[in-house]
Amino acid sequence: MSRKRSDYRSTFYSRIENFVNGKEEFLLYKPSGNTEARQLEALEEELTEAADLLDKREAQQRLQDSTEPLDFLKKFHRLYGIIAAIICLTMMILLMSAVSWLPRFGNPSNPANNEVIKRYIEKGQEETGAVNIVTGLILNYRGFDTMGETHVLFIAASCVMILLLIAEGEEKKSSYAFDRYMEPKNDIIIQKAANFIVPVVFVFGIYVILNGHLSPGGGFSGGAIIGAGMIIHVSAFGFKKTGRFFNEHVYKVGKVSALCFYVCCLSYYFYMGAHGYDNHIPLGTPGNILSSGLILFINMFVGTEVACTMYAFYALFRKGGL
Amino acid sequence: MEWVRFTFAAIFLIFAAVMESIAVFGVYKFKFVMNRMHAAAIGDTLGLMLGAVGLIILKGLSWFSLKMVIVVVFLWMTSAISSHVIMRMEYSIDEEAVNEETEKMQTGGTQ
């Protein structure tokens, strides 16, 4: 068995051991023996102690003032817990009983294995012109469903704007001024990295959108990528610089016009399909960029919509405005 | 030739695994936030690069290896910078923790 040296405390290895155990830091600043600095520190300590005392007194007074509604709150919380438990238990029982009635997984006679899937897989490319069957499915066969989803995005963004948008006044000024109060401002490392990353992210997002009918991807995923790129740009450079290419005006115009064009495209499909007419849109050869009818344009509109929504959520939650 | 390639790839992959385990160990072992961040960044950068190099050697030069190189470049940019941002947030916000740690060091490190 090895023994510790008598002067182990002062060796380099003991410092490493202390560092691993979290007792000592190599890198942190250690105050020197400067008397003035020490006096300043002592003053600061006194000040913080006084502030702490004041805080404690205020908290005690607040507690004393608010004893009356506390009883009611306690009762409410107890009742709330009981009711929540009851609701959860009933939901659990209902869902479990429903699950036990479901057909077994993998059974060929399940209702999910019907002729619809066969049609999608066998005739999807021929009828929609899209190599990516999923895109052809969600934008062509089930276009109505996807239109509803895009409207849901629009409505969600509108609701967040109603709740969080600060229109004008002093509040707007203060929230705009303090929106990066805690964050590092003008950090050169983040800015250099963003200079490199943001264009690549934008190009990748555009690629995903434009290749939505040829490869995995599409409007929703590509729009999310572009929105993430804009969020990176904002967090690196601030709202002033992002506002040069994406501000409230661009947001309104882009979002509303994308939704309108999207609805126009799909309405044309619906009208022609419902009346049994031929829609006269050439499908092109599957595999080319310009193929599969209106799917390419619908993907672009959906991508614009999703990118605007992503960025608007971020900006609204951060400073209450675009 | 196959065996030489396999051996080199295995060495790189084993080193990558060792680096990742050191990172995980450090994240749980260290007490102070910045030490932990340093340990986590080891796994993000060195472990990732060693693993990617091992896979490239295993697969040979092709489009696959180019994609791996791009993945490494992007993750080196983003993960290192995210560590940097978190570190700056910690530095600018959590004054109390820093003060506590310095006090502990001055008084001899009783936990």
Side-chain angles (χ1 to χ4, degrees):
Chain A
M1 224 179 114
S2 61
R3 276 193 309 170
K4 276 184 183 173
R5 274 162 56 182
S6 55
D7 55 343
Y8 180 70
R9 282 272 161 213
S10 57
T11 54
F12 181 65
Y13 297 103
S14 81
R15 289 189 72 197
I16 287 183
E17 192 194 348
N18 282 340
F19 173 68
V20 171
N21 289 329
K23 289 177 187 171
E24 185 173 359
E25 298 302 326
F26 282 129
L27 305 174
L28 273 184
Y29 163 75
K30 281 185 186 170
S32 59
N34 198 345
T35 47
E36 274 184 68
R38 286 211 174 157
Q39 279 176 354
L40 267 179
E41 272 183 12
L43 260 177
E44 273 183 7
E45 274 184 12
E46 279 183 13
L47 276 175
T48 45
E49 276 178 10
D52 280 351
L53 261 179
L54 274 177
D55 278 352
K56 273 181 190 169
R57 273 185 199 163
E58 276 188 13
Q60 276 179 353
Q61 272 201 346
R62 242 179 266 154
L63 258 183
Q64 282 173 357
D65 291 342
S66 62
T67 40
E68 287 163 13
L70 268 183
D71 291 338
F72 168 72
L73 267 183
K74 266 184 190 169
K75 272 181 197 169
F76 175 75
H77 274 295
R78 211 171 290 158
L79 204 66
Y80 185 84
I82 293 168
I83 292 175
I86 289 171
I87 291 174
C88 282
L89 275 177
T90 23
M91 281 306 288
M92 255 172 67
I93 292 165
L94 282 176
L95 291 175
M96 293 294 237
S97 59
V99 165
S100 69
W101 281 97
L102 287 177
R104 283 181 67 85
F105 180 75
N107 196 350
S109 61
N110 279 352
N113 296 332
N114 52 17
E115 70 280 359
V116 178
I117 292 170
K118 217 176 164 188
R119 169 80 176 248
Y120 288 157
I121 291 172
E122 285 176 354
K123 291 199 165 180
Q125 188 174 335
E126 181 189 323
E127 285 180 350
T128 63
V131 180
N132 181 1
I133 295 176
V134 177
T135 306
L137 199 154
I138 63 166
L139 293 182
N140 207 316
Y141 289 117
R142 298 191 178 178
F144 199 62
D145 178 55
T146 313
M147 192 172 82
E149 278 166 23
T150 320
H151 280 90
V152 165
L153 273 182
F154 181 76
I155 293 166
S158 307
C159 291
V160 172
M161 277 180 102
I162 290 168
L163 289 173
L164 294 181
L165 188 69
I166 303 165
E168 54 197 7
E170 282 295 309
E171 212 179 339
K172 183 172 182 174
K173 258 187 203 166
S174 69
S175 84
Y176 275 39
F178 287 106
D179 83 287
R180 22 185 11 191
Y181 180 60
M182 289 295 194
E183 280 183 39
K185 258 169 239 163
N186 294 328
D187 191 320
I188 193 93
I189 296 177
I190 307 174
Q191 287 185 352
K192 290 289 172 196
N195 267 337
F196 173 71
I197 288 171
V198 168
V200 180
V201 170
F202 278 168
V203 169
F204 181 61
I206 292 167
Y207 163 79
V208 168
I209 289 178
L210 292 185
N211 268 291
H213 53 296
L214 303 177
S215 61
F220 285 102
S221 33
I225 291 168
I226 291 180
M230 285 199 280
I231 290 172
I232 294 175
H233 194 273
V234 168
S235 48
F237 297 104
F239 280 97
K240 225 177 198 174
K241 287 197 172 161
T242 312
R244 283 187 198 156
F245 67 90
F246 196 89
N247 48 28
E248 201 169 349
H249 183 68
V250 179
Y251 169 75
K252 279 177 190 163
V253 171
K255 201 171 160 88
V256 175
S257 58
L259 199 64
C260 289
F261 281 125
Y262 179 48
V263 172
C264 287
C265 291
L266 276 179
S267 308
Y268 177 71
Y269 269 154
F270 294 153
Y271 184 80
M272 290 309 206
H275 289 80
Y277 299 144
D278 186 17
N279 57 22
H280 295 296
I281 294 172
L283 287 181
T285 46
N288 285 0
I289 277 279
L290 284 175
S291 67
S292 72
L294 290 178
I295 285 181
L296 174 62
F297 303 101
I298 293 175
N299 259 333
M300 278 155 61
F301 301 142
V302 173
T304 317
E305 177 86 21
V306 174
C308 289
T309 312
M310 290 256 315
Y311 177 75
F313 279 167
Y314 180 77
L316 283 168
F317 274 101
R318 182 157 144 187
K319 67 163 188 175
L322 281 161
Chain B
M1 192 60 203
E2 275 296 301
W3 277 101
V4 173
R5 175 188 278 181
F6 178 77
T7 324
F8 271 99
I11 288 170
F12 270 105
L13 286 176
I14 287 169
F15 264 102
V18 168
M19 285 300 156
E20 295 285 349
S21 39
I22 286 174
V24 173
F25 177 75
V27 167
Y28 284 98
K29 179 74 182 173
F30 284 143
K31 300 282 190 298
F32 189 48
V33 182
M34 297 196 182
N35 289 349
R36 286 186 181 184
M37 192 62 78
H38 150 246
I42 287 177
D44 276 351
T45 51
L46 190 58
L48 190 107
M49 188 202 71
L50 288 174
V53 169
L55 287 178
I56 288 171
I57 292 173
L58 202 61
K59 276 283 191 179
L61 282 177
S62 61
W63 283 108
F64 173 81
S65 48
L66 183 66
K67 281 178 194 169
M68 290 299 290
V69 169
I70 291 173
V71 165
V72 169
V73 167
F74 262 88
L75 281 174
W76 268 32
M77 298 225 52
T78 49
S79 69
I81 283 158
S82 66
S83 310
H84 161 77
V85 174
I86 296 170
M87 198 87 99
R88 271 198 71 160
M89 293 285 280
E90 163 70 23
Y91 182 73
S92 56
I93 290 175
D94 209 351
E95 271 178 24
E96 279 181 22
V98 176
N99 288 343
E100 262 179 33
E101 289 291 323
T102 40
E103 263 174 35
K104 259 185 203 170
M105 267 176 278
Q106 284 160 8
T107 53
T110 48
Q111 288 185 8

